[in-house]
Amino acid sequence: MIKLVGQRAIASLLSLSVLMVMVFFLSRLTGDPAALFLPIDATEQMKEQFRALHGLDRPILEQFGLYIRDVLHLDFGESLRRARPAIDIVLEAYAWTLPLALITMALVIVAAIFLGSIAAFNVGGVIDRGISVVSLIGASAPDFWIAIVAIVVFAINLAWLPTSGVGTPWHWIMPVGILFIRPFGLIVQVVRGSMLSALSAPYVKTARAKGVKNGPLIFVHTLRNAMLPVITVIGDQAAALLNGAVIVETIFGFPGVGKLMIDSILQRDFNVVMAAILVTAIAIFIMNILIDIAYSILDPRIRQ
Amino acid sequence: MPEALLTVKNLSVDFHTARGTVHAVRNVSWSVNRGETLAILGESGSGKSVSASAVMNLLDTPPAEIVSGEIFHEGKELLKISYEEHRALNGKKIAMIFQDPLGHLNPVYTVGWQIVEMMTAHGRPIEMARARALELVTRVGIPEPEKALKKYPHQFSGGQRQRLMIAMALMLKPDILIADEPTTALDVTVQAEVLALLKELQQETGMALVLITHDLGVVAEIADRVVVMSEGEIVEEGTAREVYHKPRHAYTRKLIGAAPGKGDIRQPGPEASVLLEVSGLEKTYGNFTALKDAAFTLARGQSLAVVGESGSGKSTLARTILRLEQADKGTALWKGRDLITMPQRDLLAIRQQIQMVFQDPTQSLNPRMSVYQLISEGWEIHGLMPDRKARRARVEELLEQVELLPSHCDRYPHQFSGGQRQRIAIARALALEPELIICDEAVSALDVSVQAQVMALLDDLRAKLGISYLFIAHDLGVVRDFADTVLVMKEGEIVEQGSTEAIFSAPQHPYTQRLLAANLDPDPDIQAQRARSGRAAP
C-alpha cells in the first residue's frame, strides 16, 4: 500500500513538473501584462518600470529559472493586480471550492448509488424506467442554462433564494444543486449497469445457493464488486469539481477557484494562474491516489 | 418403496426469450436417496442443470417459468414453500457446488469469510463457524489451512478452489449435495483427486450426491444411477452399468458411441519426408520457464499430439513455432528452413502453409464477418485467387468439404452451433491449402457427439489431402483415436514421446502413467476394476 502511494506520488510529481513548464510558457504567449494593468495612456517608461518591477523584462528562460527557484522555496510570487501573495489568494478561493466540491460529491454518491441500485433490482420496471429517464436528462442537461433558469425561478420569481454571492447556507443551495445534476445523472447510469452485471455474476448464484438473505446478498456480495467501475467515474467527476466549476461559480458569483482562475487569466495575472493550477493539480493528484487506495481496499486482486 | 430423500416429479420449465418460448425441460422426474450418487448426464442445451436449479430456487422467473411439477424434500413441496423457507433450506439441507469455482467464489472476500458465512447466514455463532471451517478446509486437503482461510479466491489453483467450494458446501452437513459439472474445468489428475474426495466425503457423511455432468467417464467413476437427458427430456435411466452396457435409447447409444478412446490405435504409415524438425526450443517469461529444450520431428501426413495439463507449455510450443511468440533459443526447421530466425517478410508465405484452429470458435471467428468473408480473408491477405467468382465457388466447395451447406456463405457465426462454428474455422484453415494444421484444443469445447463429428472430419481431410496435424489436447481419449505419435509435456518440458501405441500401452515416465491412470474410462466396469487394483497414487 505504501509502495503504491509512493509510486503514484513520484509519477504525479513528474506530471506536475511537465504541467508547470507548459503553463509557464503558454501563459506568457497570451501577451504583455503591462498593456492590461496600466492605464491606456501610460508612457513607455511607466510600462518598462512595471516590467522591471515584476521581472518581466528579463529573458524568458531567466524568468523561468527564477520562477522555479521561488517555487522550490514555496514562494509563488505576488499577484500583479492585488499586491498580495498569489498562493494566499488561491488558498482562500480553495477554501470555498473544496467544501462546494465535497458537499456536492457526497450528495451525488449517496443518491446515485442508492437510486442506481434500486433501478438495477427493479430492472425493466416502472421505477427503473423513471430513474433512467431522470438520470439521462441529468447527464445531458446544460448546466449554465439550468443555472440561469434556476435563478429566474427560485431567486427572482419565487424569491426563495439569493441570486448570488455567499454568506448564508441559503447561498449554497443553488450552486450545489446545479453542480449535482450532471455527475448524478452519469453515476446513476454507471451504478445501474454495474449492479446489473454484478447481480448476474456466478458468485451471486453461489450466495443464493448458500441461503444468504437478500440484504447481505445485495449490499455485501454485489455492491462491493459493482463499485469498482463506479469509483472511476466518481473520480473523474470529482476532478471536474475540484478544478473549480468555472461557469456555475461565475453565474452565482461564488468566490471559488474556478472563478479566480478565469478572472486571473483574463487579467494576465500569471502568478495567480500558476499557483491556482499547481494547487488544483495537487488536489487532483491526491484524489487520484485516494481512488487508487479505494480500489485496492475494495478489490484484493489489485493489491498484489 | 420408501419415500426418497429428494424427489422431482413431472417437472416442466419454460424459458421465455426474445426469440420465443423454449421448453427447457419437459416432464422430468428423478429422485435420490441418502448415500446415493445420481448422475444427470447430458450435452449442452439438454436441460440437465435446470431441474437442479429448480430444487435450489435459483431459476430467474422470468425468463424461466415452472409450468408444472412438484419437488419433495422431507415432506415439503419445495415449489410451494415461501422464498424465506426456501432460503433457510439452501445450504443447510441442500448445498450446491459449481463448474467454475473462480467465478462462483466472490473475488473480493477471503475464502474464510465466505466459508464461515455459510453458517452465519443460517444463524450459527461465528466462533463455531470458524472452528468448523478450519476443520473442513483441513479435511479437503488444503495446505496451511489457517493461512488459507485468510487468502482470496484468486490466490488458489483451480483444484484447490473446488476443494474450498466443497468445504463450504459441507459446513452445515447437508443431506444433499448438488454438483454441477464440478470437475469440467479441471485437469485430469486434479479431476481424479476431486472426485475421490467427493466419494470419500459422501461415505463419511452419508449425504446424497446429485452430479450433473456431460462426461461418461465421470459417471462411470462415481455414479450409482444415471439419468440421461436430451433436449429437455429424460430419455433413459438406470444404474451406471446398465446404461453403459445396455443402452436402450438411440441417443444414449450415440453418446456412448461418440465417447473417444475406444477406436483402433493408428498404426504408423510408411516413412514419409520430414516436414518440421524442432530442436532445443526454449521460451521463458521472466523467471517462468514456459518451454524447455523442446525437440521433435513431424513427418508429412502425420498427426502429432501434444498432451499435458494446463500450464504445461503446449500452447507456447505451438505459438513459438508459428512465431506468434519469439523463442529465446532453438530451431524449428520447416522443410529445412528455420522459422525462428526467418526474416519477417518470408514468414508470410510460410504462414499460408501452416494454419491454426483454435479452441473457442465463438471467439476466434470475427462476429461481424460473414462466413464468406471469414473464409476468403486469407486469400486477400496472401493475394491469392483475385477472381471473385472463383472465390465464391471455392468457398462453397470448402463449406461442402466440412459438411456445411453452400448457402451458409452469407450467414454470420452467431447463427451456427458450436460444432458448426468449428467447421467454419476448419474451412478457413483449409482455404489456404496448408500442409500443416495446428489444432490448439480444437475440440475441447465441443460436446462429445459433435467432437466425434469434427474428429472424423479432420481424419477424413488427412486421408484425402495428406494434411499433417499438430494436435494439442488434454483429452487422452481423443488423442488415442487420432494421433500417430504423442508428446507428453509437463512444466514446459517434453517428458516422453513415442508412438501412440507405445505411450498408451507402455508409458515410461511416471507423469505419463499418472496422466493415463487419471484418465476416466466411460465403462463403469473398467473404472471399478481400476479402483480395485489400486490406481497409481496421485
Side-chain angles (χ1 to χ4, degrees):
Chain A
M1 186 70 86
I2 292 162
K3 199 177 152 197
L4 180 100
V5 173
Q7 280 170 350
R8 290 298 301 220
I10 289 167
S12 305
L13 218 59
L14 205 71
S15 345
L16 212 56
S17 325
V18 174
L19 185 75
M20 291 311 287
V21 172
M22 279 173 60
V23 172
F24 183 89
F25 289 104
L26 284 177
S27 63
R28 267 137 185 92
L29 290 176
T30 58
D32 181 5
L36 269 180
F37 281 97
L38 300 175
I40 204 147
D41 55 353
T43 59
E44 193 52 37
Q45 197 190 357
M46 284 166 75
K47 285 185 182 174
E48 253 159 45
Q49 223 174 0
F50 178 86
R51 288 192 199 110
L53 181 68
H54 294 284
L56 295 169
D57 54 345
R58 304 184 197 195
I60 191 144
L61 283 177
E62 192 185 333
Q63 284 185 46
F64 182 66
L66 289 173
Y67 181 76
I68 294 297
R69 188 198 66 196
D70 291 345
V71 165
L72 289 178
H73 292 94
L74 295 180
D75 175 3
F76 294 88
E78 290 225 322
S79 162
L80 297 178
R81 192 136 272 226
R82 299 183 223 186
R84 291 181 53 205
I87 193 74
D88 290 0
I89 297 174
V90 171
L91 290 179
E92 266 165 35
Y94 239 90
W96 291 103
T97 290
L98 209 57
L100 182 66
L102 290 180
I103 291 170
T104 308
M105 262 343 263
L107 292 174
V108 165
I109 290 170
V110 171
I113 288 176
F114 183 67
L115 289 178
S117 305
I118 288 185
F121 304 144
N122 299 291
V123 63
V126 180
I127 298 172
D128 176 32
R129 281 184 210 160
I131 292 173
S132 295
V133 168
V134 168
S135 68
L136 189 66
I137 293 172
S140 42
D143 50 5
F144 59 88
W145 180 76
I146 297 183
I148 292 166
V149 171
I151 290 177
V152 171
V153 174
F154 296 108
I156 298 174
N157 289 352
L158 296 171
W160 289 351
L161 298 168
T163 48
S164 66
V166 285
T168 68
W170 298 106
H171 284 98
W172 288 71
I173 291 176
M174 276 204 284
V176 168
I178 304 298
L179 287 176
F180 173 89
I181 294 169
R182 194 193 310 251
F184 167 76
L186 277 171
I187 294 171
V188 164
Q189 298 195 340
V190 180
V191 170
R192 179 182 175 274
S194 183
M195 271 311 258
L196 267 183
S197 65
L199 277 171
S200 62
Y203 52 79
V204 173
K205 200 171 165 188
T206 310
R208 283 174 66 186
K210 277 160 82 173
V212 174
K213 289 188 177 130
N214 272 345
L217 186 78
I218 292 155
F219 293 106
V220 180
H221 282 271
T222 316
L223 190 60
R224 186 160 158 190
N225 282 286
M227 280 313 286
L228 296 169
V230 176
I231 285 183
T232 315
V233 183
I234 289 179
D236 206 45
Q237 295 299 312
L241 290 181
L242 285 175
N243 243 323
V246 177
I247 293 169
V248 171
E249 286 186 0
T250 307
I251 291 176
F252 291 105
F254 194 91
V257 77
K259 187 169 185 307
L260 174 72
M261 199 117 62
I262 197 77
D263 289 348
S264 309
I265 289 170
L266 292 174
Q267 294 164 352
R268 290 179 203 157
D269 200 343
F270 295 149
N271 288 341
V272 177
V273 175
M274 297 283 288
I277 287 176
L278 190 74
V279 172
T280 307
I282 288 173
I284 290 174
F285 286 134
I286 289 174
M287 195 199 57
N288 276 328
I289 289 172
L290 288 178
I291 283 180
D292 279 352
I293 291 173
Y295 253 132
S296 68
I297 288 173
L298 281 179
D299 191 345
R301 288 166 296 184
I302 294 170
R303 270 173 239 165
Q304 267 96 56
Chain B
M1 196 176 111
E3 197 181 288
L5 184 60
L6 179 72
T7 309
V8 174
K9 246 187 195 165
N10 301 325
L11 183 74
S12 293
V13 179
D14 285 356
F15 281 95
H16 301 290
T17 68
R19 274 185 268 167
T21 300
V22 180
H23 304 294
V25 296
R26 275 166 296 173
N27 255 330
V28 162
S29 304
W30 50 262
S31 63
V32 66
N33 284 305
R34 213 170 279 280
E36 185 187 37
T37 300
L38 173 77
I40 304 179
L41 176 73
E43 295 187 301
S44 47
S46 64
K48 61 185 186 290
S49 300
V50 175
S51 47
S53 293
V55 170
M56 300 298 288
N57 196 22
L58 292 179
L59 290 172
D60 286 315
T61 47
E65 187 200 350
I66 295 173
V67 185
S68 65
E70 296 162 304
I71 298 173
F72 293 103
H73 169 67
E74 294 189 327
K76 278 186 202 155
E77 216 280 65
L78 298 191
L79 296 178
K80 292 225 172 75
I81 59 175
S82 70
Y83 183 87
E84 178 54 30
E85 277 179 279
H86 214 135
R87 185 199 67 71
L89 213 65
N90 274 4
K92 192 173 160 203
K93 292 286 183 181
I94 314 172
M96 190 162 180
I97 60 173
F98 301 90
Q99 171 173 354
D100 161 29
L102 181 60
H104 281 89
L105 287 167
N106 197 321
V108 301
Y109 295 101
T110 62
V111 293
W113 184 89
Q114 295 184 57
I115 294 173
V116 164
E117 192 200 24
M118 179 64 112
M119 277 177 102
T120 53
H122 292 276
R124 302 290 198 283
I126 191 157
E127 295 76 27
M128 185 180 153
R130 288 213 182 106
R132 172 103 177 120
L134 191 62
E135 178 194 324
L136 273 172
V137 169
T138 314
R139 173 63 192 89
V140 297
I142 299 291
E144 299 189 87
E146 298 240 15
K147 269 193 201 160
L149 288 175
K150 295 195 184 91
K151 288 198 204 165
Y152 292 90
H154 71 274
Q155 293 170 302
F156 295 92
S157 69
Q160 286 176 327
R161 279 194 282 264
Q162 195 58 284
R163 285 164 190 270
L164 290 162
M165 282 288 270
I166 293 171
M168 182 158 82
L170 296 183
M171 281 292 274
L172 290 160
K173 303 190 177 121
D175 294 335
I176 302 158
L177 177 65
I178 300 175
D180 190 350
E181 299 269 12
T183 57
T184 306
L186 306 176
D187 284 324
V188 275
T189 54
V190 182
Q191 162 170 292
E193 289 163 22
V194 169
L195 288 177
L197 175 69
L198 279 174
K199 240 188 202 171
E200 282 167 34
L201 290 169
Q202 186 188 27
Q203 275 158 13
E204 280 170 31
T205 60
M207 65 184 174
L209 183 61
V210 178
L211 188 92
I212 300 162
T213 184
H214 70 282
D215 190 335
L216 276 168
V218 172
V219 172
E221 168 73 11
I222 195 169
D224 301 312
R225 280 191 309 123
V226 54
V227 299
V228 183
M229 288 197 68
S230 169
E231 291 170 20
E233 287 180 279
I234 291 180
V235 296
E236 179 142 2
E237 61 181 302
T239 65
R241 294 185 53 198
E242 275 168 15
V243 169
Y244 183 79
H245 291 292
K246 296 195 193 90
R248 289 188 303 272
H249 195 275
Y251 175 77
T252 320
R253 283 198 288 274
K254 186 178 136 203
L255 207 60
I256 291 168
K262 291 288 171 193
D264 297 327
I265 287 186
R266 282 168 56 85
Q267 295 306 320
E271 282 291 307
S273 59
V274 169
L275 199 59
L276 178 68
E277 185 172 4
V278 171
S279 63
L281 210 57
E282 302 216 3
K283 176 76 189 167
T284 56
Y285 300 100
N287 293 326
F288 177 71
T289 307
L291 198 59
K292 200 171 160 194
D293 197 22
F296 65 88
T297 58
L298 174 65
R300 204 175 280 276
Q302 195 191 26
S303 307
L304 175 74
V306 184
V307 301
E309 301 190 322
S310 43
S312 62
K314 306 181 300 260
S315 293
T316 308
L317 180 66
R319 296 176 65 82
T320 45
I321 292 169
L322 266 183
R323 281 276 290 277
L324 298 173
E325 306 258 1
Q326 186 62 47
D328 300 333
K329 254 206 270 185
T331 56
L333 299 179
W334 173 255
K335 295 190 246 174
R337 291 193 61 194
D338 187 11
L339 295 172
I340 306 299
T341 53
M342 181 178 288
Q344 205 69 36
R345 59 178 186 280
D346 296 355
L347 266 181
L348 186 67
I350 303 285
R351 288 211 172 119
Q352 186 196 326
Q353 298 163 17
I354 309 177
Q355 284 293 301
M356 199 149 175
V357 177
F358 296 93
Q359 172 168 6
D360 183 355
T362 314
Q363 289 184 29
S364 63
L365 298 176
N366 188 334
R368 283 175 188 79
M369 287 169 80
S370 70
V371 170
Y372 171 78
Q373 287 170 323
L374 284 165
I375 294 176
S376 63
E377 194 190 16
W379 298 325
E380 205 79 60
I381 293 165
H382 292 279
L384 303 167
M385 304 252 293
D387 179 20
R388 298 193 74 80
K389 260 196 183 144
R391 273 192 190 180
R392 182 91 193 179
R394 179 77 180 120
V395 168
E396 288 178 358
E397 202 179 295
L398 284 164
L399 284 175
E400 280 181 341
Q401 209 162 19
V402 296
E403 290 156 42
L404 292 170
L405 298 174
S407 60
H408 287 157
C409 260
D410 298 313
R411 294 204 193 166
Y412 288 83
H414 72 268
Q415 294 171 292
F416 295 91
S417 69
Q420 287 175 320
R421 278 183 217 145
Q422 199 59 298
R423 284 160 203 246
I424 296 169
I426 292 168
R428 174 171 68 175
L430 288 177
L432 292 169
E433 295 173 8
E435 293 169 58
L436 171 65
I437 296 183
I438 298 181
C439 298
D440 191 352
E441 300 277 10
V443 296
S444 308
L446 307 176
D447 281 323
V448 268
S449 56
V450 182
Q451 174 177 306
Q453 288 164 17
V454 172
M455 290 312 297
L457 170 67
L458 292 177
D459 206 29
D460 191 45
L461 294 170
R462 171 169 61 187
K464 279 189 191 144
L465 306 173
I467 294 172
S468 313
Y469 291 99
L470 186 65
F471 191 82
I472 297 168
H474 69 275
D475 185 333
L476 293 173
V478 173
V479 165
R480 182 185 170 282
D481 290 350
F482 183 71
D484 299 304
T485 47
V486 179
L487 294 182
V488 182
M489 292 196 68
K490 182 179 191 266
E491 290 163 16
E493 263 184 285
I494 297 174
V495 294
E496 184 164 1
Q497 56 179 307
S499 72
T500 308
E501 173 107 60
I503 296 278
F504 277 85
S505 58
Q508 300 302 308
H509 193 277
Y511 179 71
T512 315
Q513 290 163 359
R514 240 178 79 196
L515 215 52
L516 284 169
N519 190 40
L520 298 175
D521 196 283
D523 186 339
D525 289 340
I526 293 181
Q527 283 303 122
Q529 190 193 339
R530 280 207 214 166
R532 273 196 302 275
S533 65
R535 193 175 285 130

